[in-house]
Amino acid sequence: MDKAIKLQVRKELDGHQQLTVIKLKGSLISKGYTEIIHILDQDNDFHINSFETPVEQRNEVKEYIQTFINRENLSDTITLFK
């Protein structure tokens, strides 16, 4: 496995956005998609969150994340790297 999935997450979030981002990360772990999510600073505005997932689950995970982003109206908060 390698760091196949990367998310760009805005640093400045309101309380609701913070809770929703934490909910996404928790669900990725609880669904068994990953065991740990690495967080690095990209710049003053964004963090990069990356995690390992099995090759056979990558498309499923990406679809799950994109659906979550759309459902929770987080398109200005989280970007899934292609």
Side-chain angles (χ1 to χ4, degrees):
M1 292 193 301
D2 62 354
K3 291 180 183 166
I5 309 291
K6 291 184 180 181
L7 304 170
Q8 182 182 48
V9 181
R10 184 170 300 284
K11 288 182 178 181
E12 295 293 325
L13 303 174
D14 65 30
H16 176 72
Q17 290 169 321
Q18 287 177 354
L19 181 61
T20 307
V21 169
I22 291 169
K23 193 164 111 175
L24 171 60
K25 292 177 186 182
S27 68
L28 292 169
I29 293 168
S30 69
K31 289 182 177 296
Y33 291 139
T34 189
E35 293 179 7
I36 189 167
I37 298 173
H38 305 276
I39 303 170
L40 298 171
D41 278 335
Q42 178 182 9
D43 55 30
N44 289 333
D45 297 321
F46 295 97
H47 293 291
I48 298 298
N49 291 222
S50 60
F51 60 93
E52 299 174 1
T53 193
V55 173
E56 59 273 5
Q57 286 186 315
R58 286 184 191 163
N59 288 335
E60 177 184 340
V61 174
K62 288 179 180 181
E63 287 178 24
Y64 175 80
I65 293 169
Q66 195 58 58
T67 299
F68 189 95
I69 290 169
N70 293 338
R71 182 181 69 234
E72 299 294 333
N73 297 316
L74 293 174
S75 59
D76 62 337
T77 305
I78 302 174
T79 304
L80 177 62
F81 284 119
K82 300 295 179 188

